[in-house]
């Protein structure tokens, strides 16, 4: 099962980005986690179907309505097993 690590930059904290990313990933059947970063961004690891990862990545470029995404970087990472898609604090 492929996994991707994403870093999202912009005005993405305090706009329900993590909660909405979790909801979106779960709806796509993906597993992994999402958390805020110290530099004001959001970090995710998602694992699942390649096409569904592509859908998540397209959503990450938009984010929830109040987000202002400036950029998304993505890279393949070693597959991991996660029970669900969780918000990490």
């Amino acid at each position: 099962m492929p996994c991707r690590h994403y870093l999202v930059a912009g005005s993405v904290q305090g706009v329900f980005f993590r909660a909405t990313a979790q909801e979106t990933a779960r709806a796509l059947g993906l597993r992994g986690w999402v958390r805020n970063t110290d530099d004001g961004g959001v970090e995710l690891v998602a694992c699942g179907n390649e096409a569904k990862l592509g859908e998540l990545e397209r959503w990450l470029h938009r984010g929830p309505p109040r987000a202002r995404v400036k950029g998304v970087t993505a890279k393949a990472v070693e597959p991991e097993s996660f029970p669900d898609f969780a918000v990490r604090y």
Side-chain angles (χ1 to χ4, degrees):
M1 169 182 333
C3 293
R4 300 277 186 285
H5 177 262
Y6 300 98
L7 290 172
V8 183
S11 297
V12 293
Q13 289 188 13
V15 295
F16 300 100
F17 201 102
R18 290 175 299 163
T20 311
Q22 178 187 43
E23 181 180 295
T24 301
R26 284 180 172 174
L28 292 170
L30 300 173
R31 300 187 182 277
W33 53 265
V34 59
R35 67 179 172 199
N36 285 340
T37 60
D38 291 339
D39 64 0
V42 171
E43 177 182 26
L44 301 87
V45 170
C47 301
N49 175 283
E50 192 73 48
K52 300 298 183 181
L53 288 170
E55 287 184 49
L56 176 66
E57 187 168 339
R58 285 187 292 280
W59 180 86
L60 291 173
H61 282 274
R62 293 186 318 272
R66 292 177 38 212
R68 299 294 173 257
V69 177
K70 289 186 180 176
V72 177
T73 60
K75 68 177 182 179
V77 293
E78 290 295 317
E80 292 185 56
S81 179
F82 299 101
D84 196 0
F85 198 94
V87 174
R88 290 188 176 175
Y89 297 93

